[in-house]
């Protein structure tokens, strides 16, 4: 009789233990792994308002990473510092980055890009300027941003002088004060920045100097091969959805009479 009671108690204990183990497994599967992304504010691609991260690159990446089972957080830093954190493996990914062979040494890029970038020259509206080639910049001083990648032709040209500044806002201040003749910047980021600054009388030139693709890149220090491959597959599929189109349209700066190049109907 005593042995039967002990046996029943053991069975009850085993059942309870198995129940707890099952719950632990279920909970483990539903808990999202934290993942840290870093970037510099680059509206409308990615930026912060009242402590809340916004922008179409962020919303797209956040959505896909959550679907993949991650809990993404985003930290805003000066660009050079953000790049170094990913290189050192202190952050899992860099958001809003252009591909370069140098960065490929320590970051892995999905094949599919998040969005497109279009760089142009900003000028004082009362001082008309028409860009047609690098030759049209001869003798001028161009405000650029430290740590940013520009085309090889632009970066190596000896026709004009490049004046680096730590932020885009600082570049526009220099242009407003007449310390540089032009500012090279992403068209849409520049328009957002000028609006936030309340600075008028500065406009983008019509012609683009260069264009390219914008990615999220993952630190090679995190052995992220499977993560990158899954993100690539999911991003390619997500681009065909109405949800993706809605995110893009939510943030785009519309210019009257100009086709917005950030929203391709069928992205490559």
């Amino acid at each position: 009789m005593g042995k039967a009671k002990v046996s029943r108690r053991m069975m009850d204990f085993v059942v309870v233990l198995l129940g707890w183990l099952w719950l632990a497994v279920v909970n483990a599967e539903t808990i999202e792994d934290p993942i840290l992304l870093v970037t510099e504010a680059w509206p409308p691609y990615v930026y912060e308002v009242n402590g809340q991260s916004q922008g179409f690159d962020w919303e797209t990446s956040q959505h896909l990473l959550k679907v993949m089972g991650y809990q993404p957080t985003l930290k805003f830093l000066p660009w050079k510092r953000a790049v170094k954190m990913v290189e050192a493996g202190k952050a899992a990914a860099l958001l809003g980055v252009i591909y370069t062979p140098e960065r490929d040494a320590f970051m892995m890029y999905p094949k599919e890009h998040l969005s497109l970038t279009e760089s142009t020259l900003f000028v004082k509206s009362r001082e008309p300027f028409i860009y047609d080639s690098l030759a049209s910049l001869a003798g001028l001083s161009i405000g650029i941003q430290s740590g940013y990648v520009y085309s090889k032709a632009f970066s190596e040209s000896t026709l004009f002088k490049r004046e680096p500044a730590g932020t885009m806002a600082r570049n526009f201040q220099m242009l407003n004060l007449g310390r540089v003749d032009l500012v090279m910047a992403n068209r849409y980021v520049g328009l957002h920045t000028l609006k936030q600054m309340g600075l008028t009388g500065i406009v983008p030139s019509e012609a683009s100097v260069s264009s390219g693709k914008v990615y999220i890149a993952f630190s090679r220090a995190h052995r992220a091969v499977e993560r990158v491959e899954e993100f690539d597959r999911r991003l390619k599929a997500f681009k065909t959805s109405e949800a993706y189109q809605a995110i893009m349209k939510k943030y785009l700066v519309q210019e009257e009479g100009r086709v917005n190049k950030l929203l391709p109907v069928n992205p490559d």
Side-chain angles (χ1 to χ4, degrees):
M1 189 71 175
K3 290 183 178 180
K5 287 183 177 180
V6 172
S7 180
R8 282 198 298 272
R9 288 177 180 173
M10 285 296 295
M11 287 296 295
D12 291 343
F13 173 76
V14 171
V15 170
V16 171
L17 179 60
L18 290 173
W20 279 107
L21 288 173
W22 180 80
L23 287 173
V25 171
V26 171
N27 287 335
E29 291 178 348
T30 57
I31 292 175
E32 296 176 323
D33 293 330
I35 183 172
L36 175 62
L37 281 62
V38 292
T39 191
E40 180 180 57
W42 210 47
Y45 296 78
V46 55
Y47 59 108
E48 191 175 28
V49 176
N50 298 325
Q52 298 295 315
S53 299
Q54 298 186 15
F56 48 76
D57 277 357
W58 165 243
E59 284 203 20
T60 299
S61 299
Q62 180 189 42
H63 169 78
L64 295 176
L65 288 169
K66 283 188 173 183
V67 171
M68 291 166 60
Y70 297 102
Q71 180 55 54
T73 56
L74 183 61
K75 187 173 184 179
F76 290 91
L77 298 166
W79 184 248
K80 284 186 174 181
R81 185 179 168 193
V83 173
K84 288 184 179 297
M85 281 191 68
V86 175
E87 183 176 9
K90 295 180 180 179
L94 182 64
L95 184 60
V97 60
I98 295 171
Y99 175 85
T100 68
E102 294 77 16
R103 291 170 179 167
D104 187 65
F106 58 88
M107 291 190 291
M108 295 186 67
Y109 291 76
K111 295 178 182 178
E112 197 71 24
H113 59 282
L114 283 171
S115 54
L116 302 172
T117 178
E118 179 190 354
S119 295
T120 190
L121 292 158
F122 284 76
V123 62
K124 289 182 179 178
S125 56
R126 65 176 181 271
E127 299 174 2
F129 172 80
I130 298 176
Y131 174 82
D132 53 24
S133 68
L134 291 180
S136 60
L137 304 179
L140 301 179
S141 59
I142 316 297
I144 61 172
Q145 194 161 341
S146 300
Y148 277 32
V149 174
Y150 300 91
S151 69
K152 183 177 181 181
F154 178 86
S155 298
E156 296 180 357
S157 176
T158 58
L159 293 172
F160 51 87
K161 187 176 181 181
R162 288 164 290 276
E163 295 285 354
T167 65
M168 189 177 295
R170 178 58 182 159
N171 268 323
F172 284 136
Q173 289 171 347
M174 291 173 64
L175 177 59
N176 193 49
L177 294 171
R179 295 178 183 174
V180 295
D181 299 304
L182 303 164
V183 167
M184 172 76 92
N186 176 284
R187 175 180 294 276
Y188 307 104
V189 179
L191 289 170
H192 266 263
T193 301
L194 288 168
K195 184 177 180 180
Q196 290 175 341
M197 294 173 68
L199 194 57
T200 59
I202 294 177
V203 296
S205 59
E206 180 62 26
S208 299
V209 177
S210 63
S211 61
K213 297 176 180 180
V214 181
Y215 298 85
I216 179 175
F218 296 85
S219 173
R220 290 187 180 273
H222 287 241
R223 299 179 180 178
V225 175
E226 292 183 1
R227 180 185 294 166
V228 172
E229 290 178 348
E230 182 179 359
F231 189 93
D232 182 65
R233 291 194 304 271
R234 292 187 180 276
L235 176 57
K236 189 172 185 178
F238 187 57
K239 281 187 175 181
T240 64
S241 70
E242 292 184 3
Y244 174 79
Q245 299 291 322
I247 289 174
M248 296 292 284
K249 290 176 181 177
K250 176 180 176 182
Y251 289 103
L252 293 185
V253 175
Q254 299 295 334
E255 295 179 79
E256 186 176 352
R258 181 180 174 85
V259 175
N260 202 310
K261 297 180 180 179
L262 280 176
L263 191 59
V265 176
N266 295 303
D268 294 331

